[in-house]
Amino acid sequence: MLAVLLYYPLVKPPTEVLHQALLYWDGIGSVVPADPQVYEAAVPRELKDLKDRGLYTPLGLTGQYMDILRDPDDILPWLDAEEQRCAASLALRRELRRLAASPDRPRLSFPPQSFLYESKMSSWLPWELQRLGLATSRDERRWTVGVPNRVQEIVVGAMARELARHADVSYTPYTDRADAYRLSLSAPELSVAAWEVELGRLLPVPAPGTETANVLAFRESHSDERDRLMRALHRLLGNLRRDYEHPADVLAQLRREIEQSVDDYRKAAKSSRMAWVERSVMVTVGLAAGAGEVAQPGLGWALSAVGGIALNVATREIRPLARAREGHDFSYLHRARETFT
């Protein structure tokens, strides 16, 4: 089964991100308020309709996810297993305290830049944010606290990654905000190696203004073409993670499969009579254990071209708030640069 995108930091994904998820993945999810009344107000009708079709999943801190980000003050420090299980909570609190103490700490504004629903967070977080001066007092009418954009991106990014790691479904964190992407993948300690793969123009989406009903119709009528394309790309990313010493060889082995799937998908898109937009998508791939000794940050390869589209790979160091080396660790950044096809 292909992965489901888990969009953050907002409840409602931008339309083009929603369309991309419907075309290339099994569906899309987002982090939502757990309170039923707030959920009804926060989640738009379009997403509720997609939920009825099994294409949208709202993820909140209910049921099995209630304890995902435990209060760090409740962690028993002498129990190694306990601290490991709560590593994300500890890392998030350290990052928030570092941010609050930094010379360029984000300042609260009135009205606030962003809001966080209280029932979208673990119960300790609103109080910690207010104590650090990173959130306004509670707005009981809206069940929210006001925060700067950077705080929203850090908190919801951490929530998204932990929800993705604990869920039964294979969720892949996905954002269109470069700062949220960077903050969710970096911290000052315990770095691990990763590939950054620029997928360039391989994943076009319908142009702005396209009706979601038309996207769903294309999804259904060309399911074979889109499945082949995404399976080829997922295989590429998985092989890069495992065979990290030979990225060019990985592409050479899959070149024909990718070129054929890209060509088939382009023909399907052309036959749709819809206008399409080419987007730049960056994928971070957490590498297998031991890769840090091989892949040096800053070292990069231009993996030639596939179907006239450049595939570039470079290394960097990341420190995900979730543990990166358990299973796969993919994160996507959707960029706004566009050309029409």
Side-chain angles (χ1 to χ4, degrees):
M1 186 179 72
L2 301 182
V4 176
L5 291 187
L6 179 54
Y7 175 75
Y8 69 97
L10 305 178
V11 171
K12 182 183 183 300
T15 299
E16 64 190 46
V17 172
L18 179 63
H19 288 176
Q20 188 172 78
L22 294 175
L23 288 175
Y24 301 114
W25 277 265
D26 282 349
I28 191 167
S30 63
V31 185
V32 301
D35 184 280
Q37 186 176 354
V38 185
Y39 169 86
E40 286 300 318
V43 179
R45 170 51 53 190
E46 183 177 44
L47 291 183
K48 292 174 182 174
D49 291 343
L50 291 172
K51 179 178 180 290
D52 292 340
R53 300 180 64 152
L55 296 173
Y56 169 70
T57 304
L59 288 171
L61 298 188
T62 58
Q64 70 186 91
Y65 304 126
M66 282 292 292
D67 221 19
I68 261 184
L69 284 176
R70 286 184 52 191
D71 185 344
D73 289 333
D74 290 340
I75 297 171
L76 303 178
W78 58 87
L79 296 178
D80 291 343
E82 177 86 345
E83 185 163 351
Q84 288 176 10
R85 192 166 74 85
C86 301
S89 295
L90 293 166
L92 177 59
R93 186 174 67 175
R94 283 197 300 268
E95 183 67 10
L96 292 172
R97 290 179 176 180
R98 184 199 64 76
L99 186 66
S102 66
D104 62 339
R105 61 172 288 158
R107 301 296 175 183
L108 289 171
S109 61
F110 297 93
Q113 292 179 323
S114 301
F115 293 91
L116 285 171
Y117 292 103
E118 289 191 29
S119 64
K120 194 175 175 178
M121 299 181 285
S122 300
S123 58
W124 62 275
L125 267 168
W127 304 109
E128 179 74 6
L129 291 172
Q130 291 175 54
R131 189 185 68 79
L132 294 173
L134 297 175
T136 62
S137 57
R138 301 170 62 200
D139 183 340
E140 295 185 359
R141 295 172 303 167
R142 300 179 63 184
W143 303 278
T144 61
V145 293
V147 294
N149 286 339
R150 285 170 66 192
V151 174
Q152 181 201 51
E153 291 165 351
I154 289 173
V155 171
V156 183
M159 294 295 303
R161 296 188 65 82
E162 284 303 286
L163 285 167
R165 191 168 70 87
H166 284 82
D168 297 331
V169 175
S170 179
Y171 287 105
T172 300
Y174 194 104
T175 186
D176 59 337
R177 296 190 181 186
D179 285 345
Y181 175 77
R182 177 181 54 81
L183 289 167
S184 72
L185 290 172
S186 61
E189 73 272 0
L190 300 178
S191 293
V192 298
W195 288 126
E196 281 194 332
V197 185
E198 173 60 62
L199 293 182
R201 298 171 292 151
L202 289 174
L203 304 176
V205 294
T210 303
E211 296 289 336
T212 298
N214 294 337
V215 177
L216 290 170
F218 182 88
R219 172 192 170 95
E220 293 172 4
S221 61
H222 296 287
S223 60
D224 289 344
E225 290 90 340
R226 69 181 189 84
D227 282 353
R228 281 197 297 271
L229 175 58
M230 285 313 295
R231 289 184 191 282
L233 291 180
H234 286 179
R235 192 172 294 116
L236 170 67
L237 298 177
N239 289 357
L240 281 174
R241 183 179 190 274
R242 290 185 295 272
D243 194 10
Y244 51 81
E245 294 180 276
H246 307 289
D249 291 346
V250 169
L251 180 63
Q253 293 167 5
L254 295 173
R255 179 184 300 276
R256 184 171 181 179
E257 179 183 354
I258 295 174
E259 285 185 334
Q260 186 61 57
S261 61
V262 168
D263 185 57
D264 290 345
Y265 196 85
R266 283 176 171 175
K267 290 176 181 176
K270 187 175 181 180
S271 70
S272 71
R273 299 184 181 275
M274 291 190 295
W276 293 75
V277 177
E278 293 175 340
R279 294 296 194 202
S280 174
V281 178
M282 177 74 74
V283 189
T284 297
V285 182
L287 302 188
E293 301 173 2
V294 177
Q296 298 299 319
L299 185 62
W301 287 265
L303 296 185
S304 187
V306 174
I309 298 171
L311 275 178
N312 297 311
V313 172
T315 61
R316 62 173 298 192
E317 284 191 344
I318 62 170
R319 165 56 170 103
L321 295 180
R323 292 183 288 278
R325 291 180 179 176
E326 294 182 358
H328 79 263
D329 190 70
F330 298 152
S331 297
Y332 285 79
L333 172 64
H334 183 97
R335 291 175 168 172
R337 188 173 67 248
E338 66 183 55
T339 57
F340 281 90
T341 61

